[in-house]
């Protein structure tokens, strides 16, 4: 009897040991899974690709949003993939849009930090192809597409043929805009701090631009003298309700060094840059930099094929000295201001 009890006890101990071994094996497997996940070898979040903070690109889509001042903008030399990579490595970047002109092959890369369309919308721009994407978890739970804003009483009547000058906001849609003057006005009316807007359309290529302004407006607006673009401007949120004197055209004075034809000085484009579709020349681009706080350099670009002009103001990361231009499709003239690169 005692011997039988001893055998039963021994069997129970063996069963308990087997149960412990099974649990230990399961725990080891879970630990291995956790280790693999922590090393990022197999898990992706919100549809992002392994090793990337950005979700897959969306060809043919426009995700809207507010353009970051550090965006390469127009005249970009990369592709959609490099634009995505730039967003993924830029602090605060939530989305990106790569555009390419159907007519001139000019490329643009815009980084976005707010006000994105969730989900992205189909592009309605007949002049450019679009590829967009989201990074750092933005739009991981797509919400409803925002309704178009309405101008309401915040904006005064549009002024066809007028240019109200001003400092361009970094969130301006800029060149390659897909809307019209009315939608540009609506966008200003719904954007905090926007005091005025200017809608431009090329007389040669029909390319459209929408610029939002937050300071330094012409009161009253001036007649447009640009022979390459038509202008419609307007004021919002009470700006210029009491017209003051028209500001004098800026002069470069001693703020800027001599222009450098055929040179590219690189740098970070300021959000207030006129950008593509510029109506002036190299001299007026230089003057604009000389009268803009923080501007350390400028680059004037003109297409050898379409004569489209660009003016970019720079506030950091300039090439010292400026480099020879290697762009076969555009001529470059650059310069430095406020003692930069001396």
């Amino acid at each position: 009897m005692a011997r039988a009890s001893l055998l039963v006890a021994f069997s129970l101990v063996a069963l308990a040991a087997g149960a412990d071994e099974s649990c230990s094996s399961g725990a080891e497997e879970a630990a291995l899974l956790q280790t693999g996940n922590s090393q990022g070898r197999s898990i992706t979040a919100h549809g992002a690709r392994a090793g990337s903070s950005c979700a897959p690109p969306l060809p043919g889509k426009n995700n809207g949003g507010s353009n970051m001042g550090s965006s390469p903008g127009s005249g970009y030399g990369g592709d959609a993939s490099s634009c995505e990579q730039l967003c993924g490595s830029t602090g605060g970047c939530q989305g990106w849009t790569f555009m390419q002109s159907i007519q001139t092959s000019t490329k643009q890369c815009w980084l976005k930090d707010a006000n994105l369309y969730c989900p992205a919308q189909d592009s309605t721009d007949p002049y450019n192809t679009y590829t967009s994407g989201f990074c750092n978890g933005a739009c991981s739970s797509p919400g409803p597409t925002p309704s178009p804003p309405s101008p309401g009483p915040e904006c005064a009547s549009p002024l066809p043929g007028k240019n109200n000058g001003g400092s361009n906001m970094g969130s301006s849609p800029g060149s390659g805009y897909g809307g019209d003057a009315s939608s540009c006005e609506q966008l200003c009316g719904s954007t905090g701090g926007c005091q005025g807007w200017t809608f431009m359309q090329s007389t040669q290529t029909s390319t459209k631009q929408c610029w939002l302004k937050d300071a330094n407006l012409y009161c009253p607006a001036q007649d447009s003298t640009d022979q390459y673009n038509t202008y419609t401007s307007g004021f919002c949120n009470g700006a210029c309700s009491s017209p003051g004197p028209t500001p004098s055209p800026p002069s470069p004075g001693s703020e800027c060094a001599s222009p450098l034809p055929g040179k590219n000085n690189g740098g970070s484009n300021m959000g207030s840059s006129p950008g593509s579709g510029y109506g002036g020349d190299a001299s007026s681009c230089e003057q604009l930099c000389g009268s803009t706080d923080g501007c350390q350099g400028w680059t004037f670009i003109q297409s050898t094929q379409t004569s489209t002009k660009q003016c970019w103001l720079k506030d950091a990361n300039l090439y010292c000295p400026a480099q020879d231009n290697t762009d076969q499709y555009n001529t470059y003239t650059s310069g430095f201001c406020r003692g930069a690169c001396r």
Side-chain angles (χ1 to χ4, degrees):
M1 186 71 175
R3 183 178 180 183
S5 298
L6 183 60
L7 288 173
V8 170
F10 181 81
S11 298
L12 290 173
V13 170
L15 287 171
D20 288 344
E21 184 178 352
S22 175
C23 289
S24 175
S25 175
E28 288 175 1
E29 291 175 2
L32 286 172
L33 285 173
Q34 290 173 356
T35 300
N37 294 346
S38 67
Q39 293 175 346
R41 289 191 297 235
S42 58
I43 297 298
T44 57
H46 305 304
R49 287 163 291 171
S52 169
S53 59
C54 299
L58 302 169
K61 298 288 186 177
N62 179 9
N63 60 2
S66 301
N67 295 330
M68 299 178 69
S70 59
S71 300
S74 182
Y76 183 59
D79 56 12
S81 178
S82 61
C83 185
E84 175 192 13
Q85 291 172 355
L86 185 59
C87 180
S89 64
T90 299
C93 185
Q94 297 183 358
W96 56 277
T97 296
F98 174 80
M99 302 163 56
Q100 186 161 4
S101 169
I102 299 169
Q103 298 170 306
T104 66
S105 297
T106 299
K107 296 183 283 185
Q108 303 179 45
C109 172
W110 299 99
L111 311 184
K112 321 295 182 69
D113 57 4
N115 303 317
L116 292 160
Y117 296 152
C118 294
Q121 302 178 4
D122 291 332
S123 167
T124 58
D125 184 350
Y127 304 107
N128 295 277
T129 61
Y130 279 63
T131 302
S132 295
F134 300 103
C135 296
N136 300 309
C139 288
S140 54
S141 298
T145 300
S147 301
S150 57
E154 292 86 0
C155 298
S157 300
L159 303 169
K162 297 288 186 178
N163 178 10
N164 60 2
S167 300
N168 296 329
M169 299 177 70
S171 58
S172 300
S175 182
Y177 184 58
D180 56 12
S182 178
S183 61
C184 185
E185 174 192 17
Q186 291 173 352
L187 185 59
C188 181
S190 64
T191 299
C194 185
Q195 298 183 0
W197 56 275
T198 297
F199 173 80
M200 303 163 57
Q201 186 161 5
S202 169
T203 56
Q204 298 172 306
T205 64
S206 298
T207 298
K208 296 182 283 184
Q209 303 179 45
C210 171
W211 298 99
L212 311 184
K213 321 295 181 70
D214 58 2
N216 304 317
L217 292 160
Y218 296 153
C219 294
Q222 302 178 5
D223 291 332
S224 168
T225 58
D226 184 350
Q227 59 181 309
Y228 302 108
N229 295 278
T230 60
Y231 279 64
T232 303
S233 295
F235 301 102
C236 296
N237 300 310
C240 288
S241 54
S242 299
T246 300
S248 300
S251 58
S254 59
E255 294 282 353
C256 299
S258 299
L260 303 169
K263 298 288 186 177
N264 179 9
N265 61 1
S268 301
N269 295 329
M270 299 178 69
S272 58
S273 300
S276 182
Y278 183 58
D281 56 12
S283 178
S284 62
C285 186
E286 175 192 13
Q287 290 174 352
L288 185 59
C289 181
S291 64
T292 299
D293 288 342
C295 184
Q296 297 184 0
W298 57 275
T299 298
F300 175 78
I301 306 173
Q302 185 162 3
S303 169
T304 55
Q305 298 172 307
T306 65
S307 297
T308 300
K309 295 182 284 185
Q310 304 177 44
C311 172
W312 298 99
L313 310 184
K314 320 295 182 69
D315 58 4
N317 303 317
L318 292 160
Y319 297 153
C320 294
Q323 301 179 3
D324 291 332
N325 170 39
T326 58
D327 183 349
Q328 59 180 311
Y329 302 109
N330 296 281
T331 61
Y332 279 62
T333 303
S334 295
F336 300 103
C337 298
R338 293 179 172 79
C341 287
R342 283 184 180 171

